[in-house]
PDB file of all heavy atoms in Angstrom:
ATOM      1  N   ILE A 183      36.854  89.888 116.045  1.00 93.00           N
ATOM      2  CA  ILE A 183      37.383  89.175 117.216  1.00 93.00           C
ATOM      3  C   ILE A 183      38.875  89.442 117.402  1.00 93.00           C
ATOM      4  O   ILE A 183      39.328  89.734 118.514  1.00 93.00           O
ATOM      5  CB  ILE A 183      37.083  87.668 117.099  1.00 93.00           C
ATOM      6  CG1 ILE A 183      35.581  87.437 117.231  1.00 93.00           C
ATOM      7  CG2 ILE A 183      37.851  86.870 118.138  1.00 93.00           C
ATOM      8  CD1 ILE A 183      35.125  86.042 116.875  1.00 93.00           C
ATOM      9  N   ILE A 184      39.637  89.362 116.330  1.00 94.00           N
ATOM     10  CA  ILE A 184      41.078  89.607 116.437  1.00 94.00           C
ATOM     11  C   ILE A 184      41.349  91.042 116.869  1.00 94.00           C
ATOM     12  O   ILE A 184      42.217  91.302 117.707  1.00 94.00           O
ATOM     13  CB  ILE A 184      41.793  89.274 115.111  1.00 94.00           C
ATOM     14  CG1 ILE A 184      41.790  87.757 114.903  1.00 94.00           C
ATOM     15  CG2 ILE A 184      43.213  89.818 115.093  1.00 94.00           C
ATOM     16  CD1 ILE A 184      42.324  87.314 113.572  1.00 94.00           C
ATOM     17  N   SER A 185      40.590  91.978 116.330  1.00 93.00           N
ATOM     18  CA  SER A 185      40.760  93.374 116.716  1.00 93.00           C
ATOM     19  C   SER A 185      40.423  93.590 118.197  1.00 93.00           C
ATOM     20  O   SER A 185      41.121  94.327 118.895  1.00 93.00           O
ATOM     21  CB  SER A 185      39.888  94.263 115.841  1.00 93.00           C
ATOM     22  OG  SER A 185      40.022  95.598 116.216  1.00 93.00           O
ATOM     23  N   GLY A 186      39.372  92.951 118.679  1.00 93.00           N
ATOM     24  CA  GLY A 186      39.017  93.052 120.096  1.00 93.00           C
ATOM     25  C   GLY A 186      40.096  92.478 121.002  1.00 93.00           C
ATOM     26  O   GLY A 186      40.420  93.056 122.041  1.00 93.00           O
ATOM     27  N   LEU A 187      40.665  91.345 120.609  1.00 94.00           N
ATOM     28  CA  LEU A 187      41.737  90.738 121.401  1.00 94.00           C
ATOM     29  C   LEU A 187      42.986  91.617 121.418  1.00 94.00           C
ATOM     30  O   LEU A 187      43.609  91.807 122.474  1.00 94.00           O
ATOM     31  CB  LEU A 187      42.070  89.348 120.857  1.00 94.00           C
ATOM     32  CG  LEU A 187      40.991  88.286 120.998  1.00 94.00           C
ATOM     33  CD1 LEU A 187      41.387  87.010 120.258  1.00 94.00           C
ATOM     34  CD2 LEU A 187      40.703  87.997 122.455  1.00 94.00           C
ATOM     35  N   LEU A 188      43.351  92.146 120.258  1.00 95.00           N
ATOM     36  CA  LEU A 188      44.528  93.016 120.197  1.00 95.00           C
ATOM     37  C   LEU A 188      44.325  94.321 120.968  1.00 95.00           C
ATOM     38  O   LEU A 188      45.253  94.810 121.616  1.00 95.00           O
ATOM     39  CB  LEU A 188      44.891  93.302 118.740  1.00 95.00           C
ATOM     40  CG  LEU A 188      45.445  92.122 117.950  1.00 95.00           C
ATOM     41  CD1 LEU A 188      45.647  92.506 116.490  1.00 95.00           C
ATOM     42  CD2 LEU A 188      46.730  91.611 118.558  1.00 95.00           C
ATOM     43  N   LEU A 189      43.111  94.858 120.904  1.00 93.00           N
ATOM     44  CA  LEU A 189      42.820  96.079 121.655  1.00 93.00           C
ATOM     45  C   LEU A 189      42.918  95.838 123.151  1.00 93.00           C
ATOM     46  O   LEU A 189      43.490  96.646 123.885  1.00 93.00           O
ATOM     47  CB  LEU A 189      41.435  96.621 121.298  1.00 93.00           C
ATOM     48  CG  LEU A 189      40.953  97.850 122.080  1.00 93.00           C
ATOM     49  CD1 LEU A 189      41.924  99.004 121.941  1.00 93.00           C
ATOM     50  CD2 LEU A 189      39.563  98.241 121.606  1.00 93.00           C
ATOM     51  N   SER A 190      42.404  94.723 123.620  1.00 93.00           N
ATOM     52  CA  SER A 190      42.492  94.428 125.058  1.00 93.00           C
ATOM     53  C   SER A 190      43.938  94.220 125.485  1.00 93.00           C
ATOM     54  O   SER A 190      44.335  94.644 126.573  1.00 93.00           O
ATOM     55  CB  SER A 190      41.643  93.216 125.415  1.00 93.00           C
ATOM     56  OG  SER A 190      42.132  92.056 124.773  1.00 93.00           O
ATOM     57  N   LEU A 191      44.729  93.604 124.637  1.00 94.00           N
ATOM     58  CA  LEU A 191      46.149  93.431 124.940  1.00 94.00           C
ATOM     59  C   LEU A 191      46.858  94.778 124.998  1.00 94.00           C
ATOM     60  O   LEU A 191      47.638  95.039 125.925  1.00 94.00           O
ATOM     61  CB  LEU A 191      46.799  92.530 123.887  1.00 94.00           C
ATOM     62  CG  LEU A 191      48.285  92.256 124.055  1.00 94.00           C
ATOM     63  CD1 LEU A 191      48.538  91.423 125.310  1.00 94.00           C
ATOM     64  CD2 LEU A 191      48.830  91.556 122.834  1.00 94.00           C
ATOM     65  N   LEU A 192      46.573  95.648 124.033  1.00 93.00           N
ATOM     66  CA  LEU A 192      47.171  96.980 124.018  1.00 93.00           C
ATOM     67  C   LEU A 192      46.772  97.783 125.261  1.00 93.00           C
ATOM     68  O   LEU A 192      47.613  98.431 125.894  1.00 93.00           O
ATOM     69  CB  LEU A 192      46.770  97.725 122.749  1.00 93.00           C
ATOM     70  CG  LEU A 192      47.263  99.158 122.610  1.00 93.00           C
ATOM     71  CD1 LEU A 192      48.777  99.187 122.471  1.00 93.00           C
ATOM     72  CD2 LEU A 192      46.617  99.828 121.417  1.00 93.00           C
ATOM     73  N   LEU A 193      45.496  97.735 125.623  1.00 91.00           N
ATOM     74  CA  LEU A 193      45.038  98.456 126.808  1.00 91.00           C
ATOM     75  C   LEU A 193      45.692  97.918 128.078  1.00 91.00           C
ATOM     76  O   LEU A 193      46.094  98.686 128.958  1.00 91.00           O
ATOM     77  CB  LEU A 193      43.520  98.360 126.930  1.00 91.00           C
ATOM     78  CG  LEU A 193      42.699  99.206 125.975  1.00 91.00           C
ATOM     79  CD1 LEU A 193      41.224  98.858 126.092  1.00 91.00           C
ATOM     80  CD2 LEU A 193      42.923 100.669 126.224  1.00 91.00           C
ATOM     81  N   SER A 194      45.807  96.612 128.190  1.00 89.00           N
ATOM     82  CA  SER A 194      46.401  96.006 129.384  1.00 89.00           C
ATOM     83  C   SER A 194      47.872  96.365 129.524  1.00 89.00           C
ATOM     84  O   SER A 194      48.331  96.718 130.615  1.00 89.00           O
ATOM     85  CB  SER A 194      46.243  94.483 129.335  1.00 89.00           C
ATOM     86  OG  SER A 194      44.898  94.123 129.269  1.00 89.00           O
ATOM     87  N   VAL A 195      48.604  96.276 128.429  1.00 90.00           N
ATOM     88  CA  VAL A 195      50.029  96.615 128.468  1.00 90.00           C
ATOM     89  C   VAL A 195      50.215  98.096 128.791  1.00 90.00           C
ATOM     90  O   VAL A 195      51.070  98.462 129.611  1.00 90.00           O
ATOM     91  CB  VAL A 195      50.710  96.237 127.129  1.00 90.00           C
ATOM     92  CG1 VAL A 195      52.096  96.829 127.023  1.00 90.00           C
ATOM     93  CG2 VAL A 195      50.752  94.727 126.972  1.00 90.00           C
ATOM     94  N   THR A 196      49.418  98.948 128.182  1.00 89.00           N
ATOM     95  CA  THR A 196      49.498 100.386 128.459  1.00 89.00           C
ATOM     96  C   THR A 196      49.185 100.681 129.917  1.00 89.00           C
ATOM     97  O   THR A 196      49.876 101.471 130.563  1.00 89.00           O
ATOM     98  CB  THR A 196      48.532 101.160 127.544  1.00 89.00           C
ATOM     99  OG1 THR A 196      48.815 100.837 126.195  1.00 89.00           O
ATOM    100  CG2 THR A 196      48.661 102.642 127.745  1.00 89.00           C
ATOM    101  N   TYR A 197      48.168 100.032 130.454  1.00 84.00           N
ATOM    102  CA  TYR A 197      47.772 100.231 131.845  1.00 84.00           C
ATOM    103  C   TYR A 197      48.886  99.824 132.800  1.00 84.00           C
ATOM    104  O   TYR A 197      49.206 100.549 133.743  1.00 84.00           O
ATOM    105  CB  TYR A 197      46.500  99.425 132.112  1.00 84.00           C
ATOM    106  CG  TYR A 197      45.738  99.832 133.334  1.00 84.00           C
ATOM    107  CD1 TYR A 197      44.973 100.993 133.348  1.00 84.00           C
ATOM    108  CD2 TYR A 197      45.745  99.050 134.486  1.00 84.00           C
ATOM    109  CE1 TYR A 197      44.250 101.367 134.452  1.00 84.00           C
ATOM    110  CE2 TYR A 197      45.014  99.416 135.602  1.00 84.00           C
ATOM    111  CZ  TYR A 197      44.280 100.571 135.575  1.00 84.00           C
ATOM    112  OH  TYR A 197      43.564 100.940 136.683  1.00 84.00           O
ATOM    113  N   VAL A 198      49.483  98.670 132.550  1.00 83.00           N
ATOM    114  CA  VAL A 198      50.578  98.198 133.402  1.00 83.00           C
ATOM    115  C   VAL A 198      51.776  99.133 133.300  1.00 83.00           C
ATOM    116  O   VAL A 198      52.386  99.488 134.314  1.00 83.00           O
ATOM    117  CB  VAL A 198      50.978  96.754 133.042  1.00 83.00           C
ATOM    118  CG1 VAL A 198      52.277  96.356 133.711  1.00 83.00           C
ATOM    119  CG2 VAL A 198      49.878  95.783 133.426  1.00 83.00           C
ATOM    120  N   LEU A 199      52.119  99.545 132.088  1.00 83.00           N
ATOM    121  CA  LEU A 199      53.259 100.447 131.927  1.00 83.00           C
ATOM    122  C   LEU A 199      53.034 101.780 132.627  1.00 83.00           C
ATOM    123  O   LEU A 199      53.955 102.330 133.231  1.00 83.00           O
ATOM    124  CB  LEU A 199      53.550 100.677 130.446  1.00 83.00           C
ATOM    125  CG  LEU A 199      54.202  99.520 129.712  1.00 83.00           C
ATOM    126  CD1 LEU A 199      54.339  99.835 128.226  1.00 83.00           C
ATOM    127  CD2 LEU A 199      55.542  99.178 130.315  1.00 83.00           C
ATOM    128  N   PHE A 200      51.827 102.308 132.545  1.00 80.00           N
ATOM    129  CA  PHE A 200      51.544 103.569 133.218  1.00 80.00           C
ATOM    130  C   PHE A 200      51.674 103.430 134.724  1.00 80.00           C
ATOM    131  O   PHE A 200      52.202 104.310 135.391  1.00 80.00           O
ATOM    132  CB  PHE A 200      50.159 104.090 132.858  1.00 80.00           C
ATOM    133  CG  PHE A 200      50.075 104.756 131.524  1.00 80.00           C
ATOM    134  CD1 PHE A 200      48.858 105.109 130.996  1.00 80.00           C
ATOM    135  CD2 PHE A 200      51.201 105.038 130.785  1.00 80.00           C
ATOM    136  CE1 PHE A 200      48.762 105.724 129.762  1.00 80.00           C
ATOM    137  CE2 PHE A 200      51.132 105.653 129.558  1.00 80.00           C
ATOM    138  CZ  PHE A 200      49.914 105.999 129.044  1.00 80.00           C
ATOM    139  N   TYR A 201      51.196 102.343 135.276  1.00 76.00           N
ATOM    140  CA  TYR A 201      51.298 102.176 136.718  1.00 76.00           C
ATOM    141  C   TYR A 201      52.699 101.818 137.172  1.00 76.00           C
ATOM    142  O   TYR A 201      53.123 102.217 138.248  1.00 76.00           O
ATOM    143  CB  TYR A 201      50.308 101.124 137.222  1.00 76.00           C
ATOM    144  CG  TYR A 201      49.025 101.734 137.697  1.00 76.00           C
ATOM    145  CD1 TYR A 201      47.849 101.553 136.986  1.00 76.00           C
ATOM    146  CD2 TYR A 201      48.987 102.507 138.840  1.00 76.00           C
ATOM    147  CE1 TYR A 201      46.666 102.130 137.413  1.00 76.00           C
ATOM    148  CE2 TYR A 201      47.823 103.087 139.276  1.00 76.00           C
ATOM    149  CZ  TYR A 201      46.663 102.891 138.553  1.00 76.00           C
ATOM    150  OH  TYR A 201      45.517 103.469 138.971  1.00 76.00           O
ATOM    151  N   GLN A 202      53.431 101.081 136.371  1.00 74.00           N
ATOM    152  CA  GLN A 202      54.777 100.686 136.772  1.00 74.00           C
ATOM    153  C   GLN A 202      55.816 101.781 136.542  1.00 74.00           C
ATOM    154  O   GLN A 202      56.735 101.930 137.328  1.00 74.00           O
ATOM    155  CB  GLN A 202      55.201  99.419 136.019  1.00 74.00           C
ATOM    156  CG  GLN A 202      54.392  98.204 136.368  1.00 74.00           C
ATOM    157  CD  GLN A 202      54.584  97.780 137.814  1.00 74.00           C
ATOM    158  OE1 GLN A 202      55.661  97.900 138.378  1.00 74.00           O
ATOM    159  NE2 GLN A 202      53.519  97.276 138.422  1.00 74.00           N
ATOM    160  N   ARG A 203      55.662 102.534 135.457  1.00 73.00           N
ATOM    161  CA  ARG A 203      56.697 103.493 135.076  1.00 73.00           C
ATOM    162  C   ARG A 203      56.310 104.959 135.255  1.00 73.00           C
ATOM    163  O   ARG A 203      57.160 105.781 135.536  1.00 73.00           O
ATOM    164  CB  ARG A 203      57.085 103.288 133.606  1.00 73.00           C
ATOM    165  CG  ARG A 203      57.542 101.903 133.298  1.00 73.00           C
ATOM    166  CD  ARG A 203      58.930 101.682 133.831  1.00 73.00           C
ATOM    167  NE  ARG A 203      59.368 100.341 133.448  1.00 73.00           N
ATOM    168  CZ  ARG A 203      59.954  99.520 134.282  1.00 73.00           C
ATOM    169  NH1 ARG A 203      60.181  99.883 135.519  1.00 73.00           N
ATOM    170  NH2 ARG A 203      60.321  98.335 133.888  1.00 73.00           N
ATOM    171  N   LEU A 204      55.051 105.293 135.064  1.00 70.00           N
ATOM    172  CA  LEU A 204      54.658 106.701 135.023  1.00 70.00           C
ATOM    173  C   LEU A 204      53.674 107.076 136.119  1.00 70.00           C
ATOM    174  O   LEU A 204      52.909 108.017 135.949  1.00 70.00           O
ATOM    175  CB  LEU A 204      54.020 107.023 133.663  1.00 70.00           C
ATOM    176  CG  LEU A 204      54.881 106.809 132.434  1.00 70.00           C
ATOM    177  CD1 LEU A 204      54.059 106.998 131.170  1.00 70.00           C
ATOM    178  CD2 LEU A 204      56.060 107.756 132.437  1.00 70.00           C
TER     179      LEU A 204
END
Side-chain angles (χ1 to χ4, degrees):
I183 292 169
I184 290 174
S185 179
L187 293 173
L188 290 175
L189 176 57
S190 64
L191 180 67
L192 177 66
L193 285 172
S194 301
V195 168
T196 305
Y197 198 75
V198 168
L199 286 176
F200 281 171
Y201 265 110
Q202 294 295 325
R203 303 285 183 225
L204 300 173

